[in-house]
mmCIF file of all heavy atoms in Angstrom:
data_model
loop_
_atom_site.group_PDB
_atom_site.id
_atom_site.type_symbol
_atom_site.label_atom_id
_atom_site.label_comp_id
_atom_site.label_asym_id
_atom_site.label_seq_id
_atom_site.Cartn_x
_atom_site.Cartn_y
_atom_site.Cartn_z
ATOM 1 N N GLU A 216 0.736 -198.083 36.865
ATOM 2 C CA GLU A 216 0.904 -196.776 36.350
ATOM 3 C C GLU A 216 2.084 -196.123 37.162
ATOM 4 O O GLU A 216 2.480 -196.656 38.150
ATOM 5 C CB GLU A 216 -0.462 -196.006 36.528
ATOM 6 C CG GLU A 216 -0.814 -195.933 38.013
ATOM 7 C CD GLU A 216 -2.276 -195.484 38.215
ATOM 8 O OE1 GLU A 216 -2.825 -195.051 37.171
ATOM 9 O OE2 GLU A 216 -2.702 -195.487 39.322
ATOM 10 N N LEU A 217 2.500 -194.934 36.563
ATOM 11 C CA LEU A 217 3.622 -194.248 37.365
ATOM 12 C C LEU A 217 3.025 -193.860 38.692
ATOM 13 O O LEU A 217 2.011 -193.353 38.790
ATOM 14 C CB LEU A 217 3.956 -193.054 36.510
ATOM 15 C CG LEU A 217 4.714 -193.322 35.183
ATOM 16 C CD1 LEU A 217 4.987 -192.045 34.474
ATOM 17 C CD2 LEU A 217 5.990 -194.152 35.381
ATOM 18 N N ALA A 218 3.912 -193.964 39.715
ATOM 19 C CA ALA A 218 3.578 -193.509 41.014
ATOM 20 C C ALA A 218 3.967 -191.984 41.247
ATOM 21 O O ALA A 218 3.419 -191.367 42.211
ATOM 22 C CB ALA A 218 4.300 -194.369 42.052
ATOM 23 N N ARG A 219 4.815 -191.630 40.401
ATOM 24 C CA ARG A 219 5.281 -190.044 40.445
ATOM 25 C C ARG A 219 5.270 -189.557 38.983
ATOM 26 O O ARG A 219 5.288 -190.383 37.974
ATOM 27 C CB ARG A 219 6.711 -190.062 40.793
ATOM 28 C CG ARG A 219 6.942 -190.609 42.315
ATOM 29 C CD ARG A 219 8.291 -190.599 42.738
ATOM 30 N NE ARG A 219 9.339 -189.962 42.099
ATOM 31 C CZ ARG A 219 10.685 -190.326 42.045
ATOM 32 N NH1 ARG A 219 10.995 -191.258 42.912
ATOM 33 N NH2 ARG A 219 11.524 -189.637 41.415
ATOM 34 N N PRO A 220 5.070 -188.278 38.764
ATOM 35 C CA PRO A 220 5.017 -187.757 37.502
ATOM 36 C C PRO A 220 6.345 -188.107 36.735
ATOM 37 O O PRO A 220 7.420 -188.140 37.332
ATOM 38 C CB PRO A 220 4.926 -186.189 37.666
ATOM 39 C CG PRO A 220 4.356 -186.098 39.073
ATOM 40 C CD PRO A 220 4.864 -187.322 39.904
ATOM 41 N N ALA A 221 6.196 -188.241 35.391
ATOM 42 C CA ALA A 221 7.396 -188.561 34.605
ATOM 43 C C ALA A 221 8.472 -187.501 34.747
ATOM 44 O O ALA A 221 9.671 -187.893 34.539
ATOM 45 C CB ALA A 221 6.999 -188.817 33.141
ATOM 46 N N ARG A 222 8.030 -186.259 34.816
ATOM 47 C CA ARG A 222 9.099 -185.182 35.082
ATOM 48 C C ARG A 222 9.874 -185.357 36.278
ATOM 49 O O ARG A 222 10.953 -184.638 36.412
ATOM 50 C CB ARG A 222 8.364 -183.896 34.923
ATOM 51 C CG ARG A 222 7.441 -183.516 36.155
ATOM 52 C CD ARG A 222 6.795 -182.105 36.048
ATOM 53 N NE ARG A 222 5.985 -181.845 37.113
ATOM 54 C CZ ARG A 222 4.676 -182.322 37.323
ATOM 55 N NH1 ARG A 222 4.184 -183.013 36.315
ATOM 56 N NH2 ARG A 222 4.099 -181.978 38.355
ATOM 57 N N ASP A 223 9.405 -186.121 37.207
ATOM 58 C CA ASP A 223 10.153 -186.236 38.566
ATOM 59 C C ASP A 223 10.940 -187.480 38.607
ATOM 60 O O ASP A 223 11.581 -187.773 39.664
ATOM 61 C CB ASP A 223 9.189 -186.227 39.658
ATOM 62 C CG ASP A 223 8.444 -184.902 39.805
ATOM 63 O OD1 ASP A 223 8.968 -183.899 39.337
ATOM 64 O OD2 ASP A 223 7.401 -184.937 40.501
ATOM 65 N N ILE A 224 11.071 -188.273 37.510
ATOM 66 C CA ILE A 224 11.819 -189.498 37.516
ATOM 67 C C ILE A 224 13.032 -189.390 36.560
ATOM 68 O O ILE A 224 12.782 -189.133 35.352
ATOM 69 C CB ILE A 224 10.985 -190.777 37.086
ATOM 70 C CG1 ILE A 224 9.863 -190.963 37.999
ATOM 71 C CG2 ILE A 224 11.877 -191.949 36.955
ATOM 72 C CD1 ILE A 224 8.719 -191.938 37.486
ATOM 73 N N THR A 225 14.220 -189.398 37.084
ATOM 74 C CA THR A 225 15.355 -189.194 36.165
ATOM 75 C C THR A 225 15.918 -190.645 35.786
ATOM 76 O O THR A 225 15.761 -191.581 36.312
ATOM 77 C CB THR A 225 16.493 -188.414 36.780
ATOM 78 O OG1 THR A 225 17.124 -189.191 37.756
ATOM 79 C CG2 THR A 225 16.175 -187.186 37.388
ATOM 80 N N ILE A 226 16.540 -190.534 34.566
ATOM 81 C CA ILE A 226 17.153 -191.777 33.957
ATOM 82 C C ILE A 226 18.288 -192.178 34.859
ATOM 83 O O ILE A 226 18.393 -193.325 35.124
ATOM 84 C CB ILE A 226 17.664 -191.475 32.522
ATOM 85 C CG1 ILE A 226 16.547 -190.918 31.599
ATOM 86 C CG2 ILE A 226 18.333 -192.699 31.930
ATOM 87 C CD1 ILE A 226 15.384 -191.777 31.416
ATOM 88 N N GLY A 227 19.076 -191.233 35.340
ATOM 89 C CA GLY A 227 20.160 -191.523 36.337
ATOM 90 C C GLY A 227 19.757 -192.335 37.567
ATOM 91 O O GLY A 227 20.377 -193.300 37.896
ATOM 92 N N GLU A 228 18.571 -192.026 38.186
ATOM 93 C CA GLU A 228 18.066 -192.711 39.255
ATOM 94 C C GLU A 228 17.602 -194.039 39.022
ATOM 95 O O GLU A 228 17.902 -195.151 39.682
ATOM 96 C CB GLU A 228 17.185 -192.005 40.192
ATOM 97 C CG GLU A 228 15.863 -191.745 39.398
ATOM 98 C CD GLU A 228 14.940 -190.797 40.187
ATOM 99 O OE1 GLU A 228 14.203 -191.283 41.204
ATOM 100 O OE2 GLU A 228 14.802 -189.682 39.760
ATOM 101 N N ILE A 229 17.089 -194.330 37.806
ATOM 102 C CA ILE A 229 16.732 -195.678 37.280
ATOM 103 C C ILE A 229 17.997 -196.587 37.075
ATOM 104 O O ILE A 229 18.105 -197.771 37.422
ATOM 105 C CB ILE A 229 15.839 -195.615 36.133
ATOM 106 C CG1 ILE A 229 14.499 -194.852 36.517
ATOM 107 C CG2 ILE A 229 15.401 -197.011 35.685
ATOM 108 C CD1 ILE A 229 13.754 -195.288 37.740
ATOM 109 N N VAL A 230 19.015 -195.867 36.432
ATOM 110 C CA VAL A 230 20.204 -196.714 36.129
ATOM 111 C C VAL A 230 20.883 -197.104 37.410
ATOM 112 O O VAL A 230 21.352 -198.305 37.503
ATOM 113 C CB VAL A 230 21.117 -195.880 35.246
ATOM 114 C CG1 VAL A 230 22.548 -196.372 35.167
ATOM 115 C CG2 VAL A 230 20.576 -195.559 33.851
ATOM 116 N N ARG A 231 20.921 -196.196 38.329
ATOM 117 C CA ARG A 231 21.603 -196.597 39.670
ATOM 118 C C ARG A 231 20.711 -197.761 40.355
ATOM 119 O O ARG A 231 21.247 -198.489 41.023
ATOM 120 C CB ARG A 231 21.657 -195.395 40.575
ATOM 121 C CG ARG A 231 23.018 -194.577 40.213
ATOM 122 C CD ARG A 231 23.177 -193.431 41.234
ATOM 123 N NE ARG A 231 22.292 -192.458 41.295
ATOM 124 C CZ ARG A 231 22.261 -191.514 40.312
ATOM 125 N NH1 ARG A 231 23.175 -191.303 39.319
ATOM 126 N NH2 ARG A 231 21.300 -190.465 40.319
ATOM 127 N N LEU A 232 19.417 -197.689 40.286
ATOM 128 C CA LEU A 232 18.520 -198.622 40.865
ATOM 129 C C LEU A 232 18.697 -199.998 40.330
ATOM 130 O O LEU A 232 18.763 -200.973 41.027
ATOM 131 C CB LEU A 232 17.064 -198.130 40.798
ATOM 132 C CG LEU A 232 16.041 -199.226 41.143
ATOM 133 C CD1 LEU A 232 16.077 -199.413 42.679
ATOM 134 C CD2 LEU A 232 14.647 -198.838 40.684
ATOM 135 N N THR A 233 18.946 -199.990 39.077
ATOM 136 C CA THR A 233 18.908 -201.317 38.222
ATOM 137 C C THR A 233 20.223 -201.958 37.986
ATOM 138 O O THR A 233 20.326 -203.102 37.634
ATOM 139 C CB THR A 233 18.106 -201.204 36.972
ATOM 140 O OG1 THR A 233 18.639 -200.188 36.131
ATOM 141 C CG2 THR A 233 16.629 -201.015 37.256
ATOM 142 N N GLU A 234 21.224 -201.082 37.961
ATOM 143 C CA GLU A 234 22.669 -201.642 37.666
ATOM 144 C C GLU A 234 23.319 -202.071 38.956
ATOM 145 O O GLU A 234 23.386 -201.301 39.874
ATOM 146 C CB GLU A 234 23.427 -200.551 36.996
ATOM 147 C CG GLU A 234 23.046 -200.354 35.610
ATOM 148 C CD GLU A 234 23.217 -201.485 34.687
ATOM 149 O OE1 GLU A 234 24.214 -202.238 34.695
ATOM 150 O OE2 GLU A 234 22.325 -201.715 33.785
ATOM 151 N N ASP A 235 23.864 -203.363 38.958
ATOM 152 C CA ASP A 235 24.487 -203.832 40.141
ATOM 153 C C ASP A 235 25.999 -203.297 40.225
ATOM 154 O O ASP A 235 26.540 -203.186 41.256
ATOM 155 C CB ASP A 235 24.507 -205.402 40.053
ATOM 156 C CG ASP A 235 23.132 -205.934 40.286
ATOM 157 O OD1 ASP A 235 22.368 -205.223 41.041
ATOM 158 O OD2 ASP A 235 22.745 -207.025 39.847
ATOM 159 N N ASN A 236 26.555 -203.229 38.988
ATOM 160 C CA ASN A 236 27.933 -202.811 39.005
ATOM 161 C C ASN A 236 28.163 -201.607 38.149
ATOM 162 O O ASN A 236 27.944 -201.587 36.953
ATOM 163 C CB ASN A 236 28.849 -203.929 38.475
ATOM 164 C CG ASN A 236 30.231 -203.645 38.450
ATOM 165 O OD1 ASN A 236 30.714 -202.631 38.933
ATOM 166 N ND2 ASN A 236 31.016 -204.609 37.888
ATOM 167 N N MET A 237 28.411 -200.520 38.828
ATOM 168 C CA MET A 237 28.566 -199.170 38.125
ATOM 169 C C MET A 237 30.043 -198.957 37.882
ATOM 170 O O MET A 237 30.521 -197.907 37.292
ATOM 171 C CB MET A 237 28.005 -198.045 38.847
ATOM 172 C CG MET A 237 26.466 -198.113 38.999
ATOM 173 S SD MET A 237 25.657 -197.894 37.478
ATOM 174 C CE MET A 237 25.694 -196.078 37.473
ATOM 175 N N ALA A 238 31.052 -199.809 38.029
ATOM 176 C CA ALA A 238 32.307 -199.675 37.745
ATOM 177 C C ALA A 238 32.649 -199.600 36.351
ATOM 178 O O ALA A 238 32.368 -200.706 35.702
ATOM 179 C CB ALA A 238 33.237 -200.776 38.497
ATOM 180 N N LEU A 239 33.125 -198.620 35.847
ATOM 181 C CA LEU A 239 33.479 -198.410 34.411
ATOM 182 C C LEU A 239 34.630 -199.244 34.026
ATOM 183 O O LEU A 239 34.640 -199.932 32.943
ATOM 184 C CB LEU A 239 33.707 -196.920 34.098
ATOM 185 C CG LEU A 239 33.812 -196.639 32.594
ATOM 186 C CD1 LEU A 239 32.592 -196.940 31.801
ATOM 187 C CD2 LEU A 239 34.097 -195.070 32.508
ATOM 188 N N VAL A 240 35.585 -199.328 34.932
ATOM 189 C CA VAL A 240 36.811 -200.122 34.648
ATOM 190 C C VAL A 240 37.238 -200.841 35.932
ATOM 191 O O VAL A 240 36.781 -200.492 37.020
ATOM 192 C CB VAL A 240 38.033 -199.229 34.069
ATOM 193 C CG1 VAL A 240 37.793 -198.740 32.639
ATOM 194 C CG2 VAL A 240 38.318 -197.988 35.024
ATOM 195 N N GLU A 241 38.022 -201.824 35.875
ATOM 196 C CA GLU A 241 38.398 -202.679 36.924
ATOM 197 C C GLU A 241 38.869 -201.913 38.106
ATOM 198 O O GLU A 241 38.669 -202.181 39.229
ATOM 199 C CB GLU A 241 39.427 -203.652 36.506
ATOM 200 C CG GLU A 241 39.992 -204.437 37.626
ATOM 201 C CD GLU A 241 41.302 -205.219 37.234
ATOM 202 O OE1 GLU A 241 41.682 -205.091 36.124
ATOM 203 O OE2 GLU A 241 41.803 -205.964 38.097
ATOM 204 N N CYS A 242 39.757 -200.806 37.821
ATOM 205 C CA CYS A 242 40.371 -200.102 38.863
ATOM 206 C C CYS A 242 39.413 -199.229 39.740
ATOM 207 O O CYS A 242 39.664 -198.699 40.762
ATOM 208 C CB CYS A 242 41.446 -199.215 38.411
ATOM 209 S SG CYS A 242 41.088 -198.132 37.192
ATOM 210 N N PHE A 243 38.233 -199.080 39.366
ATOM 211 C CA PHE A 243 37.083 -198.342 40.131
ATOM 212 C C PHE A 243 36.879 -199.146 41.415
ATOM 213 O O PHE A 243 36.485 -198.614 42.457
ATOM 214 C CB PHE A 243 35.854 -198.019 39.341
ATOM 215 C CG PHE A 243 36.073 -196.897 38.454
ATOM 216 C CD1 PHE A 243 37.195 -196.343 38.068
ATOM 217 C CD2 PHE A 243 34.830 -196.294 37.859
ATOM 218 C CE1 PHE A 243 37.317 -195.212 37.293
ATOM 219 C CE2 PHE A 243 34.926 -195.306 37.041
ATOM 220 C CZ PHE A 243 36.192 -194.723 36.724
ATOM 221 N N GLY A 244 37.041 -200.420 41.361
ATOM 222 C CA GLY A 244 36.929 -201.292 42.483
ATOM 223 C C GLY A 244 38.319 -201.608 42.905
ATOM 224 O O GLY A 244 38.789 -202.769 43.022
ATOM 225 N N ALA A 245 39.016 -200.553 43.396
ATOM 226 C CA ALA A 245 40.454 -200.724 43.675
ATOM 227 C C ALA A 245 40.794 -201.927 44.559
ATOM 228 O O ALA A 245 41.868 -202.308 44.673
ATOM 229 C CB ALA A 245 40.989 -199.391 44.254
ATOM 230 N N ALA A 246 39.856 -202.267 45.514
ATOM 231 C CA ALA A 246 40.226 -203.377 46.426
ATOM 232 C C ALA A 246 40.401 -204.649 45.769
ATOM 233 O O ALA A 246 41.098 -205.603 46.227
ATOM 234 C CB ALA A 246 39.067 -203.387 47.475
ATOM 235 N N THR A 247 39.693 -204.892 44.591
ATOM 236 C CA THR A 247 39.844 -206.121 43.837
ATOM 237 C C THR A 247 40.739 -205.968 42.654
ATOM 238 O O THR A 247 41.035 -206.934 41.975
ATOM 239 C CB THR A 247 38.416 -206.604 43.393
ATOM 240 O OG1 THR A 247 37.890 -205.488 42.529
ATOM 241 C CG2 THR A 247 37.552 -206.843 44.580
ATOM 242 N N SER A 248 41.322 -204.805 42.425
ATOM 243 C CA SER A 248 42.157 -204.575 41.337
ATOM 244 C C SER A 248 43.601 -204.916 41.694
ATOM 245 O O SER A 248 44.135 -204.621 42.768
ATOM 246 C CB SER A 248 42.087 -203.151 40.736
ATOM 247 O OG SER A 248 42.966 -203.068 39.755
ATOM 248 N N ASN A 249 44.305 -205.569 40.754
ATOM 249 C CA ASN A 249 45.772 -205.830 40.947
ATOM 250 C C ASN A 249 46.675 -204.761 40.158
ATOM 251 O O ASN A 249 47.847 -205.151 40.101
ATOM 252 C CB ASN A 249 46.132 -207.220 40.787
ATOM 253 C CG ASN A 249 45.826 -207.652 39.321
ATOM 254 O OD1 ASN A 249 45.563 -206.866 38.432
ATOM 255 N ND2 ASN A 249 46.070 -208.991 39.068
ATOM 256 N N CYS A 250 46.083 -203.763 39.670
ATOM 257 C CA CYS A 250 46.920 -202.892 38.888
ATOM 258 C C CYS A 250 47.906 -201.993 39.802
ATOM 259 O O CYS A 250 47.398 -201.317 40.782
ATOM 260 C CB CYS A 250 45.948 -201.906 38.151
ATOM 261 S SG CYS A 250 46.908 -200.686 37.100
ATOM 262 N N LYS A 251 49.112 -201.952 39.451
ATOM 263 C CA LYS A 251 50.171 -201.313 40.146
ATOM 264 C C LYS A 251 50.133 -199.793 39.915
ATOM 265 O O LYS A 251 50.659 -199.086 40.743
ATOM 266 C CB LYS A 251 51.523 -201.820 39.872
ATOM 267 C CG LYS A 251 51.636 -203.274 40.325
ATOM 268 C CD LYS A 251 53.098 -203.877 39.947
ATOM 269 C CE LYS A 251 53.251 -205.307 40.434
ATOM 270 N NZ LYS A 251 54.528 -205.773 40.392
ATOM 271 N N LEU A 252 49.369 -199.302 38.995
ATOM 272 C CA LEU A 252 49.339 -197.937 38.521
ATOM 273 C C LEU A 252 48.276 -197.170 39.395
ATOM 274 O O LEU A 252 48.239 -195.914 39.330
ATOM 275 C CB LEU A 252 49.121 -197.725 37.118
ATOM 276 C CG LEU A 252 50.153 -198.292 36.285
ATOM 277 C CD1 LEU A 252 49.790 -198.108 34.756
ATOM 278 C CD2 LEU A 252 51.601 -197.710 36.636
ATOM 279 N N ILE A 253 47.292 -197.815 40.058
ATOM 280 C CA ILE A 253 46.196 -197.220 40.757
ATOM 281 C C ILE A 253 46.680 -195.844 41.536
ATOM 282 O O ILE A 253 46.040 -194.770 41.277
ATOM 283 C CB ILE A 253 45.447 -198.086 41.599
ATOM 284 C CG1 ILE A 253 44.676 -199.050 40.762
ATOM 285 C CG2 ILE A 253 44.578 -197.321 42.615
ATOM 286 C CD1 ILE A 253 43.879 -200.125 41.562
ATOM 287 N N PRO A 254 47.668 -195.901 42.274
ATOM 288 C CA PRO A 254 47.992 -194.673 43.269
ATOM 289 C C PRO A 254 48.436 -193.479 42.164
ATOM 290 O O PRO A 254 48.331 -192.346 42.613
ATOM 291 C CB PRO A 254 49.154 -195.092 44.092
ATOM 292 C CG PRO A 254 49.154 -196.612 44.022
ATOM 293 C CD PRO A 254 48.516 -197.016 42.693
#
């Protein structure tokens, strides 16, 4: 069962909990991107 009321659980917090990679595009992880336009 829910441990908290449904009104206290946001979709955003569940997405952040369950998604390993929230980078929308490669350059969001600038350390691994080789795009010269980042700056």
Side-chain angles (χ1 to χ4, degrees):
E216 60 191 356
L217 293 177
R219 298 179 6 206
R222 71 180 176 278
D223 294 340
I224 303 171
T225 70
I226 305 300
E228 63 190 284
I229 301 305
V230 168
R231 280 190 289 282
L232 172 71
T233 55
E234 288 296 320
D235 292 330
N236 182 3
M237 297 287 284
L239 186 60
V240 290
E241 174 194 5
C242 58
F243 279 14
T247 59
S248 178
N249 61 4
C250 180
K251 294 180 179 188
L252 299 177
I253 287 177

